[in-house]
Amino acid sequence: MEGTDGISTPSRRIGIAVAVTALLVAVYSLIAVLTAGPEVYGPQDTVISVSPGERFVIELDDNPSTGYRWSIESPAPDPDVLKPAGSHYDADEPVVTGSGGTRYLEFQAVRAGRTELALRHCFQCGTGQADPDRGGEQLAFRVTVTD
């Protein structure tokens, strides 16, 4: 059976189905791009390359119950190239007193350039009670922001 435009009903249905499928794929792709989180790096990723405005996360094992904390060491990264953008902690499951988890340190690339980012895991770092003699793990990252 043909419609008034000379296209058969089965062909019309196939065309509509293809158009709807293409639209759904496009919408899904757009949502995936808009909801994608920042790139995640670990302690082994000592060289990081990002674009201006891009956020990234450094994922580290952590256990706040020990009194040890991750902190940004001096010299601080060049603020014209990179700035801290927050952090959060996720406890391992099941959550029990004294168990560890993962610390996520987030950074924002500001503009093109290169800077060093040094992190230290030390006893009560970032507090007035920090003990410089109880230093822990140190990590160094080279961050390049390219246009």
Side-chain angles (χ1 to χ4, degrees):
M1 176 165 56
E2 288 187 15
T4 57
D5 55 7
I7 299 173
S8 68
T9 301
S11 294
R12 184 182 316 267
R13 286 185 181 147
I14 290 172
I16 291 171
V18 168
V20 168
T21 301
L23 178 62
L24 290 174
V25 168
V27 168
Y28 175 80
S29 298
L30 180 61
I31 290 171
V33 167
L34 294 176
T35 60
E39 186 75 26
V40 178
Y41 298 93
Q44 73 285 355
D45 300 314
T46 58
V47 177
I48 297 171
S49 182
V50 293
S51 299
E54 188 175 341
R55 286 180 177 250
F56 68 90
V57 172
I58 297 178
E59 175 183 61
L60 303 162
D61 289 337
D62 198 11
N63 188 341
S65 69
T66 64
Y68 280 80
R69 302 174 193 273
W70 285 101
S71 69
I72 298 173
E73 286 292 288
S74 293
D78 181 345
D80 291 332
V81 177
L82 184 70
K83 66 180 182 179
S87 73
H88 71 277
Y89 174 79
D90 288 341
D92 290 339
E93 296 289 334
V95 177
V96 294
T97 303
S99 67
T102 305
R103 173 75 54 194
Y104 298 90
L105 302 174
E106 190 167 346
F107 297 90
Q108 168 111 29
V110 177
R111 67 176 182 156
R114 180 178 294 166
T115 191
E116 302 294 320
L117 170 63
L119 301 176
R120 184 171 177 216
H121 194 230
C122 64
F123 190 71
Q124 296 188 355
C125 281
T127 70
Q129 302 170 356
D131 185 347
D133 296 327
R134 291 182 68 183
E137 184 177 5
Q138 294 182 336
L139 301 172
F141 300 88
R142 174 175 289 150
V143 180
T144 303
V145 180
T146 57
D147 285 328

